Amino acid sequence: MIGYSGYTIFKARGPSSLAMVLAYAHYVLNITWAPVFFGLKRLRAGHVINVLLLLSLSVIIPLFYAISPLAAGLLLPYWAWLAFATKLSSAVCALNPTGREGGYNNAMLQSRLYQLQQEAGARVGL
């Protein structure tokens, strides 16, 4: 639905219209979320990205609507998902308080403990 929505606007206004440029920026921001949240375990930075995704989509939908109400409507389920994901990431941040030294959080601690366990197991031949 997201792809068809973008395709509709792309065909109607071209690749350099404001609506498409904002959609590209939104997509790039979307791609950064998983590596930040899961890979780097920077939960608060991931939450900020979620908020920015929700805000940028809230700007994109009316721009798409002015060009194609159908294209805008196809983005509404995605907007609902982003709203849910943003609320969820807020809860994850609340459950993983950040320490004062370098933003270290419980998710990072658990990941490091797992790595140490794997290294210890490899050293003793497990």
Side-chain angles (χ1 to χ4, degrees):
M1 291 181 355
I2 297 167
Y4 184 75
S5 176
Y7 171 77
T8 301
I9 302 306
F10 181 88
K11 291 302 274 182
R13 295 294 160 94
S16 58
S17 67
L18 176 61
M20 286 308 299
V21 169
L22 289 175
Y24 302 144
H26 177 87
Y27 184 67
V28 169
L29 193 59
N30 193 338
I31 290 171
T32 65
W33 180 83
V36 169
F37 193 82
F38 292 116
L40 298 175
K41 294 175 183 52
R42 295 293 180 186
L43 305 179
R44 275 144 194 79
H47 180 64
V48 168
I49 292 171
N50 263 348
V51 170
L52 292 174
L53 284 168
L54 190 60
L55 291 174
S56 66
L57 189 61
S58 296
V59 170
I60 291 167
I61 289 173
L63 291 174
F64 275 32
Y65 186 84
I67 300 165
S68 167
L70 174 63
L74 290 172
L75 293 177
L76 294 177
Y78 175 48
W79 186 94
W81 163 248
L82 277 179
F84 172 73
T86 301
K87 181 68 176 161
L88 187 61
S89 74
S90 177
V92 168
C93 287
L95 293 171
N96 290 280
T98 301
R100 294 182 185 188
E101 299 82 31
Y104 202 75
N105 60 46
N106 191 46
M108 292 173 149
L109 173 65
Q110 295 300 321
S111 176
R112 185 66 184 134
L113 285 174
Y114 179 75
Q115 289 172 348
L116 290 171
Q117 289 170 341
Q118 295 301 312
E119 290 172 16
R123 288 184 183 178
V124 298
L126 295 177

